[in-house]
Amino acid sequence: MWAVLSENKIHKRAKSIHLDREPTPELIKKLIEYHEQKNLPRYQMLQDYYEGYNRILNRTKEDRTKPNNRLVSGYPSYIVDLMQGYFVGKPITYTSSDKELMAEIQDIFNYNDEQDENSELAKMCGIKGRAYEVVYIDEDSRVRFNELDADYVVMAYDTKINSEPNFAIVVNWGASIDGVADTPLTATVYTKDSILTYVEGENGLVLIEEREHYFGQVPIIEFLNNDEGIGDFERAISLIDAYDKAQSDTANDFEEFTDAFLCLVNLSGTEKEDIQKLKEDKVLLLDEQGQAEWLIKNINDAAIENYKKRLNDDIHKFAKIPDILDERFMGNTSGESMKYKLLALDQVIAAKQRKFKRALQKRLELICSYLQWKTNKVYDYRDIDIQFKVNKPINEKEAVEMAIQMMGITSLSTALSKVPGVDDVEMELAKIEEEKRMYIDLDMLEDEEVEEGIEVNNGEV
């Protein structure tokens, strides 16, 4: 767990870096320090919340005899995981009229377990607002891509109107044992044509290796959650903190209630032995002037529960995530009514899809660039269409009927992409063609058998 938990600060989102300079050792070092000061505290705080290390765990009380429950709600992971499942719970599909290109791309995707990669990237974006991916060539000369945590990446863009990556730095912070450096900081810098590896020495960063990468552009891709690079639950953190505090204080109140004092009036002569006997016999004998009652803290249950309900509703409202345990989501709800209940979430997912699609196109562009260099064939990533399917309950009969109607006005591949259960459109089209060939073979076989029967009959006649 990161040491940032000991701090109770508001970590502002740092702005993107735009510059046209070459990555010198001095500039690389400054950018790493900027990233460490401006970005890392925020990223670590968001990761802590996702893992259940909320700020309430830092709460202390001067009077150690009083209850100090510190209950952590699971809202951050609930919000991120639900959005992730809704967004990429169903695999992203790709279609293209260029069968050769699609076969090459699908082979690379299968080799890299592309569906799991997309799921991890979506989760990282949901937590920290952004994630990164590196595309590289492995020892077998095959294209690989793998996610990178935002903690370890510094991306620098050029200053053009439609800015593109100028270079990217992947930082390995090194390790230390008992405060003594065991391994030094290492910075791998990806430019548009080469990969530079620096190691921190006594006099700064020292270049130890340089090699080409053959992609023609920076092979680091930034996946954004939205334009601002904000995580799914980040806007609701103060509400989550308030809910944690309310839950913890409620637990404290009930604990104090169980630790109530017994107040004895006009019984000042009571001895310690009398109290012990009272505990054992559960009987208290009082004279006319004696009184006994519990001294307890009054708890307004209704007000507390209403307050927590408002917080719960606001968290879901401002995180734009539905409360699926709400009574309004249960029972016989019409499809049209459900659309309005999911309207806010659908708007968020639509924005996620646009940002994710742009990054996926960059992945395809890098892959096509390498394939073109390797095979001398012209491959255009724009020939591949990317399609998302939200993972929500649907009327399968209605979806199939819609797909059938689309066949008259769209291509077969587009219509098939709308059919539930069809995850790989290209594979489905291949199966259809194979079945057609089987039908043709069977028809030809039947015709041949009929012709042979006629010839035999004619011979007998």
Side-chain angles (χ1 to χ4, degrees), residues 171-183:
V171 186
N172 184 339
W173 300 99
S176 61
I177 300 176
D178 296 332
V180 180
D182 183 47
T183 58

Side-chain angles (χ1 to χ4, degrees), residues 230-340:
I230 295 176
D232 291 338
F233 62 87
E234 192 167 356
R235 293 183 179 91
I237 284 181
S238 61
L239 294 170
I240 294 171
D241 287 340
Y243 187 88
D244 290 345
K245 187 174 184 294
Q247 286 284 67
S248 300
D249 288 344
T250 300
N252 290 341
D253 290 340
F254 278 105
E255 190 171 330
E256 289 177 350
F257 179 85
T258 58
D259 292 337
F261 290 95
L262 178 62
C263 182
L264 300 177
V265 181
N266 293 325
L267 296 173
S268 57
T270 304
E271 300 292 338
K272 188 174 182 181
E273 291 77 10
D274 299 328
I275 296 175
Q276 183 63 35
K277 187 172 180 57
L278 168 64
K279 289 181 178 180
E280 294 173 357
D281 297 342
K282 307 296 183 183
V283 176
L284 183 62
L285 299 177
L286 303 176
D287 55 26
E288 294 181 356
Q289 296 181 346
Q291 296 180 17
E293 58 183 356
W294 288 103
L295 183 62
I296 62 173
K297 180 179 180 180
N298 292 325
I299 301 175
N300 191 338
D301 292 344
I304 293 173
E305 290 305 313
N306 287 335
Y307 173 63
K308 288 191 289 188
K309 185 179 184 304
R310 287 199 302 271
L311 287 174
N312 177 72
D313 292 343
D314 285 345
I315 290 170
H316 286 89
K317 176 181 177 181
F318 295 115
K320 300 179 177 64
I321 199 81
D323 187 353
I324 58 178
L325 298 180
D326 194 323
E327 294 178 356
R328 291 170 292 181
F329 274 84
M330 300 179 181
N332 296 323
T333 304
S334 66
E336 197 64 26
S337 175
M338 187 62 71
K339 288 181 181 179
Y340 284 103

Side-chain angles (χ1 to χ4, degrees), residues 397-407 415 418:
K397 180 181 177 181
E398 182 180 329
V400 171
E401 290 174 350
M402 181 181 295
I404 293 173
Q405 294 173 1
M406 290 175 63
M407 287 183 183
K418 303 299 181 182

